[in-house]
Amino acid sequence: MTAGPAQSAPLLRPDTQRRLICVARAPSDVLLANMRAVGWDVTVAKTAAGAEAATKKTGVAAGLIDFDGFAPRDFDALKACLSQSTIGWVAVTAEGQPASRAVRELIRNYCFDYITLPLSPDSISHVLSHALGMAALDYLDNAAEAALPGDNEMVGTCDAMQRLFGIIRKVANANASVFISGESGTGKELTALAIHQRSPRRKAPFIAINCGAIPQHLLQSELFGYERGAFTGAEQRKIGRIESAHGGTLFLDEIGDMPLAAQASLLRFLQEGKIERLGGNESIPVDIRIISATHVDLEAAILDGRFRADLFHRLCVLRIDEPPLRARGKDIEILAHYVLQKYKTESTHKIRGFTPSAIDAMCNYQWPGNVRELINRVRRALVMAEGRLLTPHDLDLGSPIDKETTSLDLVREVAERNAIEFALRRYDYRVGKAATALGISRVTLYRLMVAYGIHGGEDTAVDDSDKELNEDASV
């Protein structure tokens, strides 16, 4: 029920260490020889189709791609290759070689870095090694994703969720009715399903019905079914949800919205264990376990006369209180990464995770919509994001910088982004000059630009005016 730790794995699998795929129309024999000389196992692809074939069964690898000579019609196939999460791509361009806007977008969105030739073999190998290392991290993420729970499983490691899991294990083997209380969006149906799947009734049906989503005049026919001719439009017999769940579990969601007439009929079934279809006279025995849930305060509803006390006591033999997301601590970050892995294909480019300020914003947000809201916000962020890391703005959570207490990570992040944007504007988006002014390498500056979603000017060539990589800078 919890997302357990992934199996340990080496950073790089032995069969894929130092593997390099070179995609170029006219690859440099000297460059290839140099890469082999420093220990790379090189595979060459001279066409888009060849690149697709080379990347299909590669596993973890570095990729070196020169877009010169490829036509726009090749870009879809190249994009598919660049989207391989376990290949760290580095674009290569010759000094003075122009690049179209489409190529620049491919580099920004899919490449770990780019290099400008001529450059020493050791420097090229150094950048490729970094790209390979990042690809290895994605490989581990994919392995962990394969071990993640499925759509109907529950994720959580906090104390509140561990207590919930313990209660589920206890009540699963009982046959008494269970009442689940909790805010909307906390996952009450998942809890009900977990109880059913661990109960002796697991091989029988699990039938769910939302009592608040069905019009009052139709709810009883949905629950109990009807005979042919019971009312206008009843052209054939229909089996109700209660009868359909025979031998298994019936989950009554939002039971607090059930009208009083249906409450009386449900109470009679719970007392007698039999139903009568609408328009019929036959009493039909049904063996089911009832699990109900609501976000409504039923004790208050009883005092207001909106819910029957005798029905409540029948339903609430065993009670479970679902914890709200804001009370689940670090589970917020775990769930966010789980949702990111599940829906990351909805993004048009690679998303590697969340910025520290995004994690801070999520952990400090009150989550009135709970897990359902978290899922929606992360999915929105995947569509709206421009950088490789999701930000508070992408999540539509605003920036926590306006709060009275600001973390050092956030201060550092904001200052870093502002300094980069200022330097780029000052030097007219000449990346080499901006990197020199900031005291970092061009490689580092480009990586930060990608992470923060900062793009160069519309007419900025891929290599700008900088000609050499600062080999001594930390990247």
Side-chain angles (χ1 to χ4, degrees), residues 152 163 191 241 247 276 289 308-309 336 369 390 419 474:
N152 293 327
R163 286 193 295 270
T191 298
R241 303 288 183 93
E276 288 184 8
R289 184 184 194 180
R308 296 180 61 120
L390 300 184
S474 172

Side-chain angles (χ1 to χ4, degrees), residues 122-174:
D122 287 342
S123 297
I124 298 173
S125 181
H126 181 70
V127 177
L128 289 172
S129 295
H130 277 284
L132 182 65
M134 293 301 293
L137 294 179
D138 278 338
Y139 166 73
L140 294 178
D141 285 343
N142 291 339
E145 181 184 355
L148 285 174
D151 292 342
N152 293 327
E153 290 292 328
M154 302 172 72
V155 179
T157 61
C158 68
D159 290 343
M161 290 302 289
Q162 293 304 312
R163 286 193 295 270
L164 176 62
F165 298 154
I167 293 172
I168 289 173
R169 286 191 291 268
K170 288 180 180 180
V171 305
N173 289 321

Side-chain angles (χ1 to χ4, degrees), residues 21-28 31 45-46 63-71 75 78 82 89-94 97-99 103 107 111 115 117:
I21 301 172
C22 180
V23 178
R25 284 290 192 186
S28 166
L31 175 63
K46 297 182 180 181
L64 195 64
I65 182 167
D66 183 353
F67 289 96
D68 186 41
F70 285 101
F75 288 172
L78 293 178
L82 296 171
W89 288 97
V90 175
V92 60
T93 180
Q97 178 180 307
V103 169
I107 293 173
C111 291
I115 55 178
L117 299 178

Side-chain angles (χ1 to χ4, degrees), residues 236-267:
Q236 60 184 2
R237 172 187 290 173
K238 177 180 178 179
I239 302 300
R241 303 288 183 93
I242 294 176
E243 193 174 351
S244 297
H246 180 68
T249 303
L250 176 69
F251 176 56
L252 299 172
D253 197 9
E254 299 303 347
I255 190 74
D257 295 327
M258 179 178 282
L260 288 170
Q263 290 179 35
S265 300
L266 180 61
L267 177 62

Side-chain angles (χ1 to χ4, degrees), residues 2 50 52 173 199 240 277 298 333 335 355 360 398 410 435 469:
T2 61
E52 286 186 301
N173 289 321
S199 75
R277 304 189 191 105
L298 286 191
E333 183 175 352
L335 284 163
T355 64
D360 186 55
L410 176 59
L469 174 68

Side-chain angles (χ1 to χ4, degrees), residues 119-434:
L119 200 62
S120 71
D122 287 342
S123 297
I124 298 173
S125 181
H126 181 70
V127 177
L128 289 172
S129 295
H130 277 284
L132 182 65
M134 293 301 293
L137 294 179
D138 278 338
Y139 166 73
L140 294 178
D141 285 343
N142 291 339
E145 181 184 355
L148 285 174
D151 292 342
N152 293 327
E153 290 292 328
M154 302 172 72
V155 179
T157 61
C158 68
D159 290 343
M161 290 302 289
Q162 293 304 312
R163 286 193 295 270
L164 176 62
F165 298 154
I167 293 172
I168 289 173
R169 286 191 291 268
K170 288 180 180 180
V171 305
N173 289 321
N175 200 43
S177 297
V178 179
F179 174 71
I180 306 171
S181 176
E183 297 177 10
S184 180
T186 51
K188 295 186 288 294
E189 183 169 351
L190 286 181
T191 298
L193 184 58
I195 293 171
H196 170 75
Q197 290 175 337
R198 287 155 182 79
S199 75
R201 298 175 178 269
R202 66 179 66 90
K203 294 183 180 180
F206 175 85
I207 304 295
I209 181 170
N210 189 323
C211 300
I214 300 175
Q216 293 188 13
H217 64 285
L218 296 178
L219 183 58
Q220 293 213 59
S221 63
E222 282 292 323
L223 286 173
F224 299 99
Y226 53 80
E227 298 287 353
R228 179 180 179 183
F231 48 81
T232 302
E235 298 179 355
Q236 60 184 2
R237 172 187 290 173
K238 177 180 178 179
I239 302 300
R241 303 288 183 93
I242 294 176
E243 193 174 351
S244 297
H246 180 68
T249 303
L250 176 69
F251 176 56
L252 299 172
D253 197 9
E254 299 303 347
I255 190 74
D257 295 327
M258 179 178 282
L260 288 170
Q263 290 179 35
S265 300
L266 180 61
L267 177 62
R268 181 178 178 183
F269 163 68
L270 292 175
Q271 291 171 338
E272 300 178 358
K274 298 178 181 180
I275 64 164
E276 288 184 8
R277 304 189 191 105
L278 298 184
N281 298 315
E282 180 185 3
S283 291
I284 304 170
V286 180
D287 172 30
I288 61 173
R289 184 184 194 180
I290 297 283
I291 301 178
S292 57
T294 187
H295 71 284
V296 173
D297 184 346
L298 286 191
E299 286 88 346
I302 290 170
L303 294 176
D304 293 341
R306 293 181 287 110
F307 202 85
R308 296 180 61 120
D310 46 3
L311 177 59
F312 174 73
H313 294 306
R314 285 274 186 175
L315 294 173
C316 191
V317 178
L318 300 171
R319 177 168 182 150
I320 295 177
D321 292 308
E322 197 89 18
L325 182 57
R326 60 182 172 275
R328 292 178 57 180
K330 293 295 288 182
D331 275 5
I332 295 173
E333 183 175 352
I334 294 172
L335 284 163
H337 282 286
Y338 167 71
V339 177
L340 172 62
Q341 291 298 320
K342 182 177 179 181
Y343 294 105
K344 64 182 180 181
T345 55
E346 295 182 0
S347 176
T348 57
H349 53 279
K350 290 182 182 179
I351 300 294
R352 296 197 178 276
F354 300 88
T355 64
S357 58
I359 297 296
D360 186 55
M362 287 189 291
C363 290
N364 286 287
Y365 184 59
Q366 291 300 300
W367 296 109
N370 291 289
V371 179
R372 187 182 296 119
E373 181 184 359
L374 173 64
I375 294 171
N376 292 341
R377 286 187 180 272
V378 174
R379 293 185 69 181
R380 174 195 184 277
L382 286 168
V383 174
M384 302 303 294
E386 295 184 354
R388 296 284 183 91
L389 299 175
L390 300 184
T391 67
H393 177 73
D394 298 329
L395 293 162
D396 198 24
L397 290 178
S399 174
I401 193 171
D402 297 328
K403 298 183 179 180
E404 294 182 3
T405 302
T406 305
S407 69
L408 291 177
D409 282 339
L410 176 59
V411 172
R412 189 179 300 112
E413 183 180 317
V414 172
E416 191 171 64
R417 182 184 183 119
N418 289 341
I420 290 170
E421 290 178 334
F422 176 79
L424 288 170
R425 288 194 299 269
R426 180 178 180 181
Y427 292 101
D428 196 24
Y429 288 89
R430 290 182 174 85
V431 177
K433 291 185 177 181

Side-chain angles (χ1 to χ4, degrees), residues 83-94:
S83 299
Q84 297 286 336
S85 62
T86 53
I87 303 175
W89 288 97
V90 175
V92 60
T93 180

